[in-house]
Amino acid sequence: MSDQGAPFSPYKGLIPYSEDDASFFFGRQRERDMIEANLIAARLTLLYGASGVGKSSVLRAGVVHHLRQLAIENQANSGNPEFVVVFVSAWRDDPLAAVLNSIYDTLQTHVAPIYPPATALPSPAVGTFIPTLQAWTAALDCDLLLIFDQFEEYLLYHASEDGLGTLAMEFPRAVNQPDLRVNFLISIREDALARLDRFKGRIPRLFENYLRIQHLDEAAAREAIEQPLVAYNRALAPAQPLSIEPALVNEVLAQVQTNQVFVGESGRGTVAGGGPVRVETPFLQLVMSRLWAEEMQAGRSVLRLQTLQRLGGAERIVRTHLDTVISTLTPAEQESAARIFHLLVTPSGTKIAHSVPDLAEYSELTPAQLEPVLE
């Protein structure tokens, strides 16, 4: 363990894994390989799954990280990266500009240091989407692999967008351009999949190539619990290696299976024998994060079943998570939080991203009041 305060956690809680967290991301290699194969081979791939299943994590810490490592190896071996993977997830403002800027920033940040031709590329110009992509891929002699994550947000923010110079028009044109060296992957929540029908008339084979990602199976969930500790010990070499009781692993897996943890007031009826055991990915991470924090605060090097029992089990940890976080705020901050919660999600459950000034205006608070609460 670190001598400079509590060590960072190898578990992410409710925060998606990022590319920087790849060393501690486990349980999704099969999905990662499947997604990569489709992204490289197909012009358009649809990836969908339930909210919280871990789509962003497998894309960022799995697919993006691994493909960028492969591109570096390709450059070292043959003098050309062969492909460039770009991750786009910001859809609130001009989406076409966001895509072009994300590609350009990726080329300058990840490609230029290993492949000098990227330094001479012209800056993107909105209104010339396909010509810009053609120019960049020709100059680099590389394919572009574009990942559009959380695409339901684009469909929410830009439901009526249309016409030349918009993503609604230029994206289908790019998909249908036969000589364009660009492949696309759309990642979208399962309950928003039908909204893609707006592209059906412009992309004739829109739903031809699709992948569904599910919650972790039991073996993968076990790996997601145990292997981050192995990676932690290997990376940080603490004086006292971290470990976990096998009985705790078994109990967590039993308690965070689908239909085991209930947060709302909906019915608890389930159908027996409905398929293989699946583990609720966000609940697994939330429980493991809480157990980690408790043991580290107590100065222990073992994650114990006794601690899970003392905390009331997985369901209680999940149910009290919001209360635990809110209790760290002052009364004034709690009031601010209460005034913005309903502004961050639609009634149907889709999250909404706002800038701090916009959120302040909607909630009739000042940015100075909101910033510490949001942080």
Side-chain angles (χ1 to χ4, degrees), residues 87-96 98-99 147-158 167 185 187 353:
F87 184 85
V88 185
S89 61
W91 302 110
R92 183 179 177 277
D93 299 317
D94 183 345
L96 193 64
V99 171
I147 297 174
F148 293 170
D149 191 33
Q150 299 179 354
F151 202 66
E152 65 275 359
E153 295 189 8
Y154 164 76
L155 299 172
L156 173 68
Y157 297 137
H158 306 282
L167 188 70
L185 182 145
S187 176

PDB file of all heavy atoms in Angstrom, residues 87-96 98-99 147-158 167 185 187 353:
ATOM      1  N   PHE A  87     -12.183   7.723 -31.057  1.00  0.00           N
ATOM      2  CA  PHE A  87     -13.327   7.553 -30.159  1.00  0.00           C
ATOM      3  C   PHE A  87     -14.042   8.890 -30.025  1.00  0.00           C
ATOM      4  O   PHE A  87     -13.430   9.898 -29.661  1.00  0.00           O
ATOM      5  CB  PHE A  87     -12.829   7.079 -28.790  1.00  0.00           C
ATOM      6  CG  PHE A  87     -13.914   6.779 -27.793  1.00  0.00           C
ATOM      7  CD1 PHE A  87     -14.531   5.546 -27.773  1.00  0.00           C
ATOM      8  CD2 PHE A  87     -14.292   7.726 -26.855  1.00  0.00           C
ATOM      9  CE1 PHE A  87     -15.522   5.245 -26.847  1.00  0.00           C
ATOM     10  CE2 PHE A  87     -15.284   7.450 -25.917  1.00  0.00           C
ATOM     11  CZ  PHE A  87     -15.893   6.207 -25.916  1.00  0.00           C
ATOM     12  N   VAL A  88     -15.345   8.903 -30.309  1.00  0.00           N
ATOM     13  CA  VAL A  88     -16.147  10.130 -30.239  1.00  0.00           C
ATOM     14  C   VAL A  88     -17.321   9.876 -29.306  1.00  0.00           C
ATOM     15  O   VAL A  88     -18.061   8.906 -29.486  1.00  0.00           O
ATOM     16  CB  VAL A  88     -16.668  10.553 -31.623  1.00  0.00           C
ATOM     17  CG1 VAL A  88     -17.381  11.900 -31.528  1.00  0.00           C
ATOM     18  CG2 VAL A  88     -15.540  10.606 -32.639  1.00  0.00           C
ATOM     19  N   SER A  89     -17.497  10.744 -28.310  1.00  0.00           N
ATOM     20  CA  SER A  89     -18.617  10.563 -27.386  1.00  0.00           C
ATOM     21  C   SER A  89     -19.290  11.873 -26.991  1.00  0.00           C
ATOM     22  O   SER A  89     -20.196  11.874 -26.162  1.00  0.00           O
ATOM     23  CB  SER A  89     -18.151   9.835 -26.109  1.00  0.00           C
ATOM     24  OG  SER A  89     -17.166  10.599 -25.430  1.00  0.00           O
ATOM     25  N   ALA A  90     -18.857  13.002 -27.569  1.00  0.00           N
ATOM     26  CA  ALA A  90     -19.443  14.305 -27.239  1.00  0.00           C
ATOM     27  C   ALA A  90     -20.397  14.720 -28.352  1.00  0.00           C
ATOM     28  O   ALA A  90     -19.974  14.997 -29.477  1.00  0.00           O
ATOM     29  CB  ALA A  90     -18.333  15.356 -27.069  1.00  0.00           C
ATOM     30  N   TRP A  91     -21.695  14.748 -28.039  1.00  0.00           N
ATOM     31  CA  TRP A  91     -22.707  14.983 -29.060  1.00  0.00           C
ATOM     32  C   TRP A  91     -23.561  16.218 -28.803  1.00  0.00           C
ATOM     33  O   TRP A  91     -24.472  16.513 -29.581  1.00  0.00           O
ATOM     34  CB  TRP A  91     -23.625  13.762 -29.159  1.00  0.00           C
ATOM     35  CG  TRP A  91     -22.879  12.517 -29.472  1.00  0.00           C
ATOM     36  CD1 TRP A  91     -22.645  11.455 -28.648  1.00  0.00           C
ATOM     37  CD2 TRP A  91     -22.226  12.198 -30.709  1.00  0.00           C
ATOM     38  NE1 TRP A  91     -21.907  10.489 -29.288  1.00  0.00           N
ATOM     39  CE2 TRP A  91     -21.638  10.921 -30.554  1.00  0.00           C
ATOM     40  CE3 TRP A  91     -22.093  12.861 -31.929  1.00  0.00           C
ATOM     41  CZ2 TRP A  91     -20.922  10.305 -31.584  1.00  0.00           C
ATOM     42  CZ3 TRP A  91     -21.384  12.249 -32.948  1.00  0.00           C
ATOM     43  CH2 TRP A  91     -20.808  10.983 -32.766  1.00  0.00           C
ATOM     44  N   ARG A  92     -23.276  16.952 -27.756  1.00  0.00           N
ATOM     45  CA  ARG A  92     -24.182  18.032 -27.378  1.00  0.00           C
ATOM     46  C   ARG A  92     -24.136  19.192 -28.372  1.00  0.00           C
ATOM     47  O   ARG A  92     -25.171  19.748 -28.735  1.00  0.00           O
ATOM     48  CB  ARG A  92     -23.838  18.536 -25.976  1.00  0.00           C
ATOM     49  CG  ARG A  92     -24.780  19.619 -25.469  1.00  0.00           C
ATOM     50  CD  ARG A  92     -24.417  20.062 -24.061  1.00  0.00           C
ATOM     51  NE  ARG A  92     -25.282  21.136 -23.622  1.00  0.00           N
ATOM     52  CZ  ARG A  92     -25.092  22.407 -23.915  1.00  0.00           C
ATOM     53  NH1 ARG A  92     -24.070  22.769 -24.658  1.00  0.00           N
ATOM     54  NH2 ARG A  92     -25.932  23.336 -23.475  1.00  0.00           N
ATOM     55  N   ASP A  93     -22.952  19.560 -28.821  1.00  0.00           N
ATOM     56  CA  ASP A  93     -22.821  20.714 -29.715  1.00  0.00           C
ATOM     57  C   ASP A  93     -22.842  20.249 -31.175  1.00  0.00           C
ATOM     58  O   ASP A  93     -23.530  19.290 -31.492  1.00  0.00           O
ATOM     59  CB  ASP A  93     -21.564  21.486 -29.364  1.00  0.00           C
ATOM     60  CG  ASP A  93     -21.614  22.017 -27.926  1.00  0.00           C
ATOM     61  OD1 ASP A  93     -22.677  22.524 -27.528  1.00  0.00           O
ATOM     62  OD2 ASP A  93     -20.601  21.899 -27.207  1.00  0.00           O
ATOM     63  N   ASP A  94     -22.101  20.894 -32.048  1.00  0.00           N
ATOM     64  CA  ASP A  94     -22.102  20.532 -33.468  1.00  0.00           C
ATOM     65  C   ASP A  94     -21.477  19.146 -33.638  1.00  0.00           C
ATOM     66  O   ASP A  94     -20.264  18.984 -33.505  1.00  0.00           O
ATOM     67  CB  ASP A  94     -21.302  21.578 -34.248  1.00  0.00           C
ATOM     68  CG  ASP A  94     -21.321  21.319 -35.748  1.00  0.00           C
ATOM     69  OD1 ASP A  94     -21.698  20.204 -36.168  1.00  0.00           O
ATOM     70  OD2 ASP A  94     -20.937  22.223 -36.505  1.00  0.00           O
ATOM     71  N   PRO A  95     -22.261  18.111 -33.950  1.00  0.00           N
ATOM     72  CA  PRO A  95     -21.712  16.756 -33.970  1.00  0.00           C
ATOM     73  C   PRO A  95     -20.731  16.509 -35.106  1.00  0.00           C
ATOM     74  O   PRO A  95     -19.759  15.777 -34.937  1.00  0.00           O
ATOM     75  CB  PRO A  95     -22.958  15.869 -34.102  1.00  0.00           C
ATOM     76  CG  PRO A  95     -24.008  16.759 -34.674  1.00  0.00           C
ATOM     77  CD  PRO A  95     -23.714  18.129 -34.171  1.00  0.00           C
ATOM     78  N   LEU A  96     -20.964  17.104 -36.272  1.00  0.00           N
ATOM     79  CA  LEU A  96     -20.045  16.887 -37.386  1.00  0.00           C
ATOM     80  C   LEU A  96     -18.680  17.501 -37.078  1.00  0.00           C
ATOM     81  O   LEU A  96     -17.632  16.890 -37.339  1.00  0.00           O
ATOM     82  CB  LEU A  96     -20.613  17.481 -38.673  1.00  0.00           C
ATOM     83  CG  LEU A  96     -19.901  17.054 -39.959  1.00  0.00           C
ATOM     84  CD1 LEU A  96     -20.063  15.561 -40.188  1.00  0.00           C
ATOM     85  CD2 LEU A  96     -20.439  17.836 -41.156  1.00  0.00           C
ATOM     86  N   ALA A  98     -17.542  17.932 -34.106  1.00  0.00           N
ATOM     87  CA  ALA A  98     -16.966  17.108 -33.036  1.00  0.00           C
ATOM     88  C   ALA A  98     -16.253  15.888 -33.602  1.00  0.00           C
ATOM     89  O   ALA A  98     -15.172  15.506 -33.134  1.00  0.00           O
ATOM     90  CB  ALA A  98     -18.056  16.679 -32.057  1.00  0.00           C
ATOM     91  N   VAL A  99     -16.848  15.270 -34.618  1.00  0.00           N
ATOM     92  CA  VAL A  99     -16.220  14.096 -35.237  1.00  0.00           C
ATOM     93  C   VAL A  99     -14.906  14.485 -35.913  1.00  0.00           C
ATOM     94  O   VAL A  99     -13.860  13.854 -35.697  1.00  0.00           O
ATOM     95  CB  VAL A  99     -17.182  13.441 -36.245  1.00  0.00           C
ATOM     96  CG1 VAL A  99     -16.461  12.358 -37.042  1.00  0.00           C
ATOM     97  CG2 VAL A  99     -18.382  12.852 -35.519  1.00  0.00           C
ATOM     98  N   ILE A 147     -15.335   5.245 -33.832  1.00  0.00           N
ATOM     99  CA  ILE A 147     -16.271   4.716 -32.845  1.00  0.00           C
ATOM    100  C   ILE A 147     -17.135   5.856 -32.340  1.00  0.00           C
ATOM    101  O   ILE A 147     -16.636   6.809 -31.743  1.00  0.00           O
ATOM    102  CB  ILE A 147     -15.520   4.054 -31.673  1.00  0.00           C
ATOM    103  CG1 ILE A 147     -14.712   2.853 -32.173  1.00  0.00           C
ATOM    104  CG2 ILE A 147     -16.490   3.635 -30.574  1.00  0.00           C
ATOM    105  CD1 ILE A 147     -13.827   2.228 -31.103  1.00  0.00           C
ATOM    106  N   PHE A 148     -18.443   5.759 -32.584  1.00  0.00           N
ATOM    107  CA  PHE A 148     -19.391   6.746 -32.089  1.00  0.00           C
ATOM    108  C   PHE A 148     -20.065   6.162 -30.847  1.00  0.00           C
ATOM    109  O   PHE A 148     -20.992   5.353 -30.955  1.00  0.00           O
ATOM    110  CB  PHE A 148     -20.457   7.066 -33.150  1.00  0.00           C
ATOM    111  CG  PHE A 148     -19.930   7.771 -34.374  1.00  0.00           C
ATOM    112  CD1 PHE A 148     -20.732   7.933 -35.495  1.00  0.00           C
ATOM    113  CD2 PHE A 148     -18.643   8.281 -34.416  1.00  0.00           C
ATOM    114  CE1 PHE A 148     -20.273   8.594 -36.621  1.00  0.00           C
ATOM    115  CE2 PHE A 148     -18.157   8.947 -35.540  1.00  0.00           C
ATOM    116  CZ  PHE A 148     -18.979   9.101 -36.643  1.00  0.00           C
ATOM    117  N   ASP A 149     -19.619   6.572 -29.672  1.00  0.00           N
ATOM    118  CA  ASP A 149     -20.142   6.026 -28.425  1.00  0.00           C
ATOM    119  C   ASP A 149     -21.301   6.880 -27.910  1.00  0.00           C
ATOM    120  O   ASP A 149     -21.388   8.071 -28.210  1.00  0.00           O
ATOM    121  CB  ASP A 149     -19.026   5.980 -27.375  1.00  0.00           C
ATOM    122  CG  ASP A 149     -19.423   5.193 -26.137  1.00  0.00           C
ATOM    123  OD1 ASP A 149     -20.186   4.220 -26.271  1.00  0.00           O
ATOM    124  OD2 ASP A 149     -18.981   5.559 -25.027  1.00  0.00           O
ATOM    125  N   GLN A 150     -22.193   6.239 -27.130  1.00  0.00           N
ATOM    126  CA  GLN A 150     -23.343   6.915 -26.538  1.00  0.00           C
ATOM    127  C   GLN A 150     -24.130   7.676 -27.614  1.00  0.00           C
ATOM    128  O   GLN A 150     -24.522   8.829 -27.438  1.00  0.00           O
ATOM    129  CB  GLN A 150     -22.887   7.862 -25.423  1.00  0.00           C
ATOM    130  CG  GLN A 150     -22.189   7.131 -24.294  1.00  0.00           C
ATOM    131  CD  GLN A 150     -21.696   8.039 -23.187  1.00  0.00           C
ATOM    132  OE1 GLN A 150     -21.774   9.265 -23.284  1.00  0.00           O
ATOM    133  NE2 GLN A 150     -21.187   7.449 -22.126  1.00  0.00           N
ATOM    134  N   PHE A 151     -24.378   6.992 -28.713  1.00  0.00           N
ATOM    135  CA  PHE A 151     -24.995   7.645 -29.863  1.00  0.00           C
ATOM    136  C   PHE A 151     -26.440   8.038 -29.599  1.00  0.00           C
ATOM    137  O   PHE A 151     -27.007   8.874 -30.313  1.00  0.00           O
ATOM    138  CB  PHE A 151     -24.909   6.724 -31.081  1.00  0.00           C
ATOM    139  CG  PHE A 151     -25.027   7.444 -32.393  1.00  0.00           C
ATOM    140  CD1 PHE A 151     -24.049   8.336 -32.797  1.00  0.00           C
ATOM    141  CD2 PHE A 151     -26.112   7.233 -33.226  1.00  0.00           C
ATOM    142  CE1 PHE A 151     -24.151   9.004 -34.010  1.00  0.00           C
ATOM    143  CE2 PHE A 151     -26.229   7.887 -34.445  1.00  0.00           C
ATOM    144  CZ  PHE A 151     -25.246   8.784 -34.839  1.00  0.00           C
ATOM    145  N   GLU A 152     -27.027   7.459 -28.549  1.00  0.00           N
ATOM    146  CA  GLU A 152     -28.397   7.876 -28.196  1.00  0.00           C
ATOM    147  C   GLU A 152     -28.429   9.357 -27.822  1.00  0.00           C
ATOM    148  O   GLU A 152     -29.466  10.016 -27.963  1.00  0.00           O
ATOM    149  CB  GLU A 152     -28.949   7.026 -27.048  1.00  0.00           C
ATOM    150  CG  GLU A 152     -28.251   7.171 -25.719  1.00  0.00           C
ATOM    151  CD  GLU A 152     -27.018   6.282 -25.588  1.00  0.00           C
ATOM    152  OE1 GLU A 152     -26.711   5.532 -26.539  1.00  0.00           O
ATOM    153  OE2 GLU A 152     -26.386   6.328 -24.526  1.00  0.00           O
ATOM    154  N   GLU A 153     -27.302   9.896 -27.359  1.00  0.00           N
ATOM    155  CA  GLU A 153     -27.263  11.314 -27.019  1.00  0.00           C
ATOM    156  C   GLU A 153     -27.331  12.179 -28.276  1.00  0.00           C
ATOM    157  O   GLU A 153     -27.967  13.236 -28.275  1.00  0.00           O
ATOM    158  CB  GLU A 153     -26.017  11.624 -26.193  1.00  0.00           C
ATOM    159  CG  GLU A 153     -26.011  10.943 -24.833  1.00  0.00           C
ATOM    160  CD  GLU A 153     -24.887  11.414 -23.938  1.00  0.00           C
ATOM    161  OE1 GLU A 153     -24.184  12.383 -24.303  1.00  0.00           O
ATOM    162  OE2 GLU A 153     -24.704  10.812 -22.870  1.00  0.00           O
ATOM    163  N   TYR A 154     -26.664  11.739 -29.345  1.00  0.00           N
ATOM    164  CA  TYR A 154     -26.805  12.463 -30.602  1.00  0.00           C
ATOM    165  C   TYR A 154     -28.271  12.481 -31.040  1.00  0.00           C
ATOM    166  O   TYR A 154     -28.809  13.520 -31.442  1.00  0.00           O
ATOM    167  CB  TYR A 154     -25.958  11.829 -31.701  1.00  0.00           C
ATOM    168  CG  TYR A 154     -26.371  12.297 -33.086  1.00  0.00           C
ATOM    169  CD1 TYR A 154     -26.019  13.566 -33.528  1.00  0.00           C
ATOM    170  CD2 TYR A 154     -27.161  11.497 -33.911  1.00  0.00           C
ATOM    171  CE1 TYR A 154     -26.438  14.023 -34.774  1.00  0.00           C
ATOM    172  CE2 TYR A 154     -27.577  11.948 -35.145  1.00  0.00           C
ATOM    173  CZ  TYR A 154     -27.215  13.210 -35.580  1.00  0.00           C
ATOM    174  OH  TYR A 154     -27.635  13.665 -36.802  1.00  0.00           O
ATOM    175  N   LEU A 155     -28.929  11.332 -30.955  1.00  0.00           N
ATOM    176  CA  LEU A 155     -30.325  11.239 -31.374  1.00  0.00           C
ATOM    177  C   LEU A 155     -31.237  12.081 -30.495  1.00  0.00           C
ATOM    178  O   LEU A 155     -32.289  12.551 -30.945  1.00  0.00           O
ATOM    179  CB  LEU A 155     -30.768   9.777 -31.347  1.00  0.00           C
ATOM    180  CG  LEU A 155     -29.992   8.838 -32.280  1.00  0.00           C
ATOM    181  CD1 LEU A 155     -30.385   7.386 -32.024  1.00  0.00           C
ATOM    182  CD2 LEU A 155     -30.226   9.205 -33.739  1.00  0.00           C
ATOM    183  N   LEU A 156     -30.847  12.285 -29.243  1.00  0.00           N
ATOM    184  CA  LEU A 156     -31.623  13.118 -28.327  1.00  0.00           C
ATOM    185  C   LEU A 156     -31.413  14.600 -28.613  1.00  0.00           C
ATOM    186  O   LEU A 156     -32.372  15.367 -28.760  1.00  0.00           O
ATOM    187  CB  LEU A 156     -31.238  12.813 -26.882  1.00  0.00           C
ATOM    188  CG  LEU A 156     -31.836  13.721 -25.807  1.00  0.00           C
ATOM    189  CD1 LEU A 156     -33.338  13.514 -25.694  1.00  0.00           C
ATOM    190  CD2 LEU A 156     -31.166  13.464 -24.461  1.00  0.00           C
ATOM    191  N   TYR A 157     -30.154  15.018 -28.702  1.00  0.00           N
ATOM    192  CA  TYR A 157     -29.850  16.444 -28.867  1.00  0.00           C
ATOM    193  C   TYR A 157     -30.157  16.967 -30.268  1.00  0.00           C
ATOM    194  O   TYR A 157     -30.400  18.159 -30.442  1.00  0.00           O
ATOM    195  CB  TYR A 157     -28.367  16.703 -28.569  1.00  0.00           C
ATOM    196  CG  TYR A 157     -27.942  16.410 -27.156  1.00  0.00           C
ATOM    197  CD1 TYR A 157     -26.756  15.743 -26.891  1.00  0.00           C
ATOM    198  CD2 TYR A 157     -28.717  16.805 -26.072  1.00  0.00           C
ATOM    199  CE1 TYR A 157     -26.352  15.479 -25.597  1.00  0.00           C
ATOM    200  CE2 TYR A 157     -28.326  16.540 -24.778  1.00  0.00           C
ATOM    201  CZ  TYR A 157     -27.141  15.878 -24.545  1.00  0.00           C
ATOM    202  OH  TYR A 157     -26.744  15.611 -23.254  1.00  0.00           O
ATOM    203  N   HIS A 158     -30.107  16.099 -31.258  1.00  0.00           N
ATOM    204  CA  HIS A 158     -30.228  16.551 -32.646  1.00  0.00           C
ATOM    205  C   HIS A 158     -31.302  15.751 -33.387  1.00  0.00           C
ATOM    206  O   HIS A 158     -31.097  15.299 -34.521  1.00  0.00           O
ATOM    207  CB  HIS A 158     -28.876  16.424 -33.357  1.00  0.00           C
ATOM    208  CG  HIS A 158     -27.758  17.119 -32.638  1.00  0.00           C
ATOM    209  ND1 HIS A 158     -27.572  18.483 -32.684  1.00  0.00           N
ATOM    210  CD2 HIS A 158     -26.793  16.636 -31.807  1.00  0.00           C
ATOM    211  CE1 HIS A 158     -26.523  18.814 -31.937  1.00  0.00           C
ATOM    212  NE2 HIS A 158     -26.046  17.712 -31.397  1.00  0.00           N
ATOM    213  N   LEU A 167     -24.311  15.957 -39.578  1.00  0.00           N
ATOM    214  CA  LEU A 167     -23.969  14.545 -39.419  1.00  0.00           C
ATOM    215  C   LEU A 167     -25.092  13.663 -39.960  1.00  0.00           C
ATOM    216  O   LEU A 167     -24.835  12.583 -40.502  1.00  0.00           O
ATOM    217  CB  LEU A 167     -23.711  14.227 -37.945  1.00  0.00           C
ATOM    218  CG  LEU A 167     -23.146  12.823 -37.664  1.00  0.00           C
ATOM    219  CD1 LEU A 167     -21.714  12.716 -38.155  1.00  0.00           C
ATOM    220  CD2 LEU A 167     -23.204  12.500 -36.166  1.00  0.00           C
ATOM    221  N   LEU A 185     -18.350   2.413 -36.179  1.00  0.00           N
ATOM    222  CA  LEU A 185     -19.063   1.619 -35.172  1.00  0.00           C
ATOM    223  C   LEU A 185     -19.931   2.553 -34.356  1.00  0.00           C
ATOM    224  O   LEU A 185     -19.438   3.553 -33.827  1.00  0.00           O
ATOM    225  CB  LEU A 185     -18.101   0.852 -34.256  1.00  0.00           C
ATOM    226  CG  LEU A 185     -18.765  -0.049 -33.205  1.00  0.00           C
ATOM    227  CD1 LEU A 185     -17.931  -1.308 -32.976  1.00  0.00           C
ATOM    228  CD2 LEU A 185     -18.964   0.666 -31.862  1.00  0.00           C
ATOM    229  N   SER A 187     -22.195   2.780 -31.041  1.00  0.00           N
ATOM    230  CA  SER A 187     -22.531   2.157 -29.759  1.00  0.00           C
ATOM    231  C   SER A 187     -23.736   2.883 -29.190  1.00  0.00           C
ATOM    232  O   SER A 187     -23.720   4.109 -29.037  1.00  0.00           O
ATOM    233  CB  SER A 187     -21.350   2.243 -28.793  1.00  0.00           C
ATOM    234  OG  SER A 187     -21.699   1.723 -27.527  1.00  0.00           O
ATOM    235  N   ALA A 353     -26.206  15.886 -21.007  1.00  0.00           N
ATOM    236  CA  ALA A 353     -24.982  16.603 -20.655  1.00  0.00           C
ATOM    237  C   ALA A 353     -25.198  18.102 -20.855  1.00  0.00           C
ATOM    238  O   ALA A 353     -25.615  18.538 -21.926  1.00  0.00           O
ATOM    239  CB  ALA A 353     -23.819  16.122 -21.526  1.00  0.00           C
TER     240      ALA A 353
END
